[in-house]
Amino acid sequence: MARTVNALLRTVIYTRISHDPDGKAEGVARQEAACRKLAAELGWVVIGVETDDDRTAIGKRGQRARRPGYAAALDMLAAGAADAVLVWHTDRLYRQARDLEPLIDIVDRTHAVIRPVVQGELDLSSASGRMVARILASVSTHEVEHAV
């Protein structure tokens, strides 16, 4: 059973940008501001912000990328400390299926809500929603592989 997105939810904001050569964190700050605006519109309570600035979501040669902020956000969901994740876009949250699958497992157990700002709710509670999420992961992986 999926949660209703109109309920008062405790949310963690997750922000990520792959390349921040100046270290100014302007990209993640913009993402956070957009997420906070949406949280206010939805009436959700922001209980934390996890950030991976200047960190790619794609690991090298089959290894997972180290993203401590992503791991912390997932831990909050898994522990029941947060009911939702707000993120600017799904490709900030995951770029590969191997990073999506643990999130799907957590949503299945906890009924957490995943809400990208620019895409609308990501429904990981239904077969069709999971299919869309997996397609988005494939598209993101494709984009990264062509950029290399």
Side-chain angles (χ1 to χ4, degrees):
M1 176 174 108
R3 287 184 206 257
T4 174
V5 295
N6 295 327
L8 177 64
L9 299 180
R10 299 166 300 153
T11 188
V12 59
I13 291 172
Y14 177 72
T15 62
R16 183 187 66 78
I17 195 159
S18 298
H19 191 62
D20 184 8
D22 298 329
K24 294 181 180 178
E26 292 170 340
V28 292
R30 284 190 299 272
Q31 291 174 32
E32 181 180 342
C35 289
R36 285 187 180 280
K37 181 178 183 227
L38 181 58
E41 291 169 5
L42 295 171
W44 294 3
V45 177
V46 176
I47 61 167
V49 177
E50 295 296 338
T51 297
D52 288 316
D53 188 40
D54 200 30
R55 287 190 179 264
T56 182
I58 301 291
K60 294 180 181 177
R61 298 198 173 239
Q63 296 179 356
R64 279 209 154 109
R66 283 192 12 86
R67 295 191 296 147
Y70 181 71
L74 265 57
D75 287 348
M76 290 176 75
L77 290 178
D83 306 309
V85 172
L86 281 174
V87 63
W88 184 76
H89 190 279
T90 55
D91 68 7
R92 301 299 87 202
L93 196 57
Y94 63 87
R95 299 279 309 210
Q96 298 178 352
R98 68 178 172 205
D99 291 325
L100 172 61
E101 294 305 322
L103 179 61
I104 289 173
D105 291 342
I106 291 168
V107 168
D108 189 47
R109 286 193 320 271
T110 65
H111 308 291
V113 174
I114 309 301
R115 182 62 157 82
V117 171
V118 297
Q119 296 165 293
E121 184 178 356
L122 182 64
D123 180 12
L124 298 179
S125 68
S126 71
S128 294
R130 290 186 297 272
M131 176 192 69
V132 168
R134 288 176 177 126
I135 289 168
L136 290 171
S138 293
V139 170
S140 290
T141 300
H142 178 263
E143 289 173 352
V144 169
E145 288 174 350
H146 276 286
V148 176

